[in-house]
Amino acid sequence: MKQKYLLSTYKRQEVCFERGDNATLWDGDGKEYIDFAAGVAVCSVGHGNYRLARAISDQVAKIIHVSNLYRIEPQEECARRIVELSEYDMRCFFGNSGTEVNEGAIKIARKYGEVDGKVKRYKIITLKNSFHGRTITALKATGQVAKHDYFGPYPDGFVYAASVEEIESLIDEYTVAVMIELVQGEGGVQPLNLVAVQRLALSLKSKDILLIVDEVQTGVYRCGSFLASHIYGITPDVITLAKGLGGGVPIGVVMSGIKDIFSYGDHGSTFGGNYLSSASANEVLDILEEYSQRGELIDHQNYFETSLERFASAYPSIFTERVGIGMMQGLRVIDGNTLSKIINIAVETGVLVIKSGKNTLRFVPPLTISKSEIDEGFRRLNLVMLQLTE
């Protein structure tokens, strides 16, 4: 087995895909699968997208990488597009992943907390069920204590709130920022309460405490609008994006409303926002902006939600609740063992779904998924349920 050369960081399904077309994948034996996972919310414009492939090919034939020691025109264009689509007055820094840009957001907050080169405020409050990445600092920002085992000691200054409402009580003179996901992707596809988030945003603004919104999974139209922050009606100070931005090519961006926070040498990335990843992101933004403007995004989103609701309601003894926003949906399952069975049988039946939290079946399909692919995916999931309940 070739996997013997890999570290054991993933419990992989015994399937290897060879090609794809939108939300449909085929393995080496020619078996077909409907993809309701999109590489964990990454393949936003589907698999085998001709426009994205052409944009990547054209760019690769010219320049892939020169480093950030020189101007990169596609990166500058990507930053302009993101800022204009966000409707916020911000500047961008490009990295390679959600974890990396969350690290950038933390560095922005920490520098903002300094006065005359001295640390005055450094604490960052996150939520107990949050997930912000796997590097040492981003992992410490993650409010799931079980994930902290083995890797300490960690940097100080992170405080975990049990809920949005509890955050206020944890603020002290050393608090510089609050960092939240508006829909907790790894924490059970759990949307935060809209009113509570709006109240928090206003309070933080009055106290000169930064609001960092981790939109690594919720951004780039995943929840319907370009940003979930638009749905919540807030203006964050810092936003992070990644996953769906490159359509599968690694890229991330931290956006800051504090536009002059960094000086030369404060932060950097060798690969971040290079020609390849920026060209990919620009094409993804073109495709999704057109898709949204035509009304297809909201139409297919509503169709998916309706299909998911119909599916879940047919099995009330298995699914207890539907959660999520837009094309970021979850079904609460009665227990973790049943959830694992559903995921495993689903692969055998030719449909890909994934886990979130302890007991949530997560659905994050390509945003461009067709209605016929949605229908076929749920037809197969119904077959899964028949096997499960036999």
Side-chain angles (χ1 to χ4, degrees):
M1 292 291 291
K2 293 180 180 179
Q3 289 190 48
K4 73 178 183 179
Y5 300 105
L6 300 173
L7 287 172
S8 302
T9 53
Y10 297 100
K11 188 176 181 180
R12 302 174 195 266
Q13 295 281 357
E14 287 295 330
V15 59
C16 187
F17 303 109
E18 286 198 349
R19 64 187 179 93
D21 181 10
N22 202 20
T24 306
L25 288 163
W26 287 268
D27 65 18
D29 297 322
K31 182 178 176 180
E32 180 189 283
Y33 301 77
I34 300 299
D35 186 4
F36 281 170
V40 194
V42 166
C43 303
S44 51
V45 296
H47 305 284
N49 186 290
Y50 174 75
R51 286 181 55 178
L52 180 58
R54 185 180 60 189
I56 291 172
S57 177
D58 289 347
Q59 186 58 62
V60 167
K62 293 186 287 186
I63 300 174
I64 295 176
H65 177 84
V66 296
S67 87
N68 282 292
L69 296 176
Y70 312 96
R71 285 185 55 198
I72 303 171
E73 191 170 348
Q75 181 189 110
E76 295 168 3
E77 173 64 9
C78 191
R80 181 192 67 80
R81 295 285 302 284
I82 290 170
V83 168
E84 290 184 357
L85 286 167
S86 79
E87 301 176 2
Y88 300 132
D89 185 16
M90 293 185 169
R91 286 183 178 175
C92 300
F93 171 87
F94 288 91
N96 308 288
S97 66
T99 297
E100 187 177 327
V101 294
N102 280 341
E103 289 268 351
I106 291 166
K107 287 178 73 173
I108 287 170
R110 289 282 172 84
K111 187 170 184 187
Y112 186 76
E114 291 187 2
V115 177
D116 298 327
K118 296 180 180 179
V119 176
K120 297 298 182 182
R121 296 186 294 158
Y122 64 97
K123 289 185 180 179
I124 298 173
I125 301 172
T126 67
L127 292 173
K128 285 187 177 178
N129 211 30
S130 61
F131 183 84
H132 298 293
R134 296 188 183 275
T135 55
I136 292 298
T137 303
L139 189 59
K140 185 60 175 176
T142 294
Q144 299 182 48
V145 178
K147 294 187 182 296
H148 298 167
D149 294 344
Y150 314 119
F151 305 117
Y154 289 99
D156 294 332
F158 293 96
V159 180
Y160 312 120
S163 65
V164 175
E165 291 81 1
E166 189 189 34
I167 289 174
E168 292 275 1
S169 66
L170 298 177
I171 293 172
D172 63 22
E173 62 182 311
Y174 300 107
T175 303
V176 69
V178 170
M179 187 175 189
I180 58 174
E181 305 156 274
L182 296 173
V183 183
Q184 294 182 326
E186 299 297 326
V189 197
Q190 182 59 54
L192 302 186
N193 180 274
L194 185 145
V195 173
V197 168
Q198 290 178 340
R199 287 174 178 165
L200 174 67
L202 288 172
S203 176
L204 295 181
K205 197 73 70 177
S206 69
K207 296 173 181 176
D208 191 31
I209 294 172
L210 301 183
L211 175 59
I212 303 170
V213 177
D214 177 342
E215 295 228 32
V216 166
Q217 192 163 158
T218 58
V220 195
Y221 297 102
R222 174 56 58 183
C223 293
S225 295
F226 180 67
L227 298 173
S229 298
H230 295 158
I231 297 170
Y232 276 74
I234 58 173
T235 302
D237 299 290
V238 181
I239 299 171
T240 56
L241 301 170
K243 286 189 177 290
L245 180 58
V249 175
I251 188 170
V253 60
V254 54
M255 308 166 59
S256 174
I258 314 153
K259 296 191 290 184
D260 58 352
I261 188 68
F262 283 149
S263 301
Y264 295 142
D266 279 348
H267 197 43
S269 172
T270 298
F271 297 101
N274 69 11
Y275 278 89
L276 173 61
S277 61
S278 295
S280 301
N282 283 329
E283 190 62 33
V284 167
L285 291 174
D286 280 343
I287 293 168
L288 292 180
E289 189 175 6
E290 293 167 17
Y291 190 62
S292 177
Q293 289 174 349
R294 290 197 304 267
E296 291 183 74
L297 177 68
I298 190 67
D299 180 39
H300 288 215
Q301 171 186 299
N302 290 340
Y303 191 84
F304 189 87
E305 285 186 1
T306 300
S307 300
L308 181 61
E309 188 68 49
R310 187 184 306 118
F311 168 72
S313 63
Y315 307 99
S317 63
I318 303 295
F319 303 115
T320 61
E321 183 185 13
R322 179 175 72 85
V323 291
I325 301 175
M327 286 288 199
M328 187 174 178
Q329 296 285 331
L331 295 179
R332 298 276 190 261
V333 182
I334 51 170
D335 58 65
N337 184 51
T338 302
L339 173 61
S340 295
K341 288 180 179 179
I342 292 171
I343 293 170
N344 291 332
I345 298 172
V347 173
E348 297 171 5
T349 310
V351 60
L352 307 181
V353 285
I354 54 178
K355 178 183 179 181
S356 175
K358 294 180 179 179
N359 67 330
T360 301
L361 188 64
R362 178 166 31 167
F363 298 79
V364 281
L367 300 179
T368 54
I369 188 170
S370 68
K371 291 181 179 179
S372 62
E373 288 171 321
I374 293 171
D375 290 341
E376 180 60 19
F378 282 109
R379 186 190 72 80
R380 295 180 190 186
L381 281 178
N382 278 301
L383 296 177
V384 171
M385 302 310 293
L386 287 176
Q387 291 186 57
L388 184 72
T389 55
E390 282 180 351

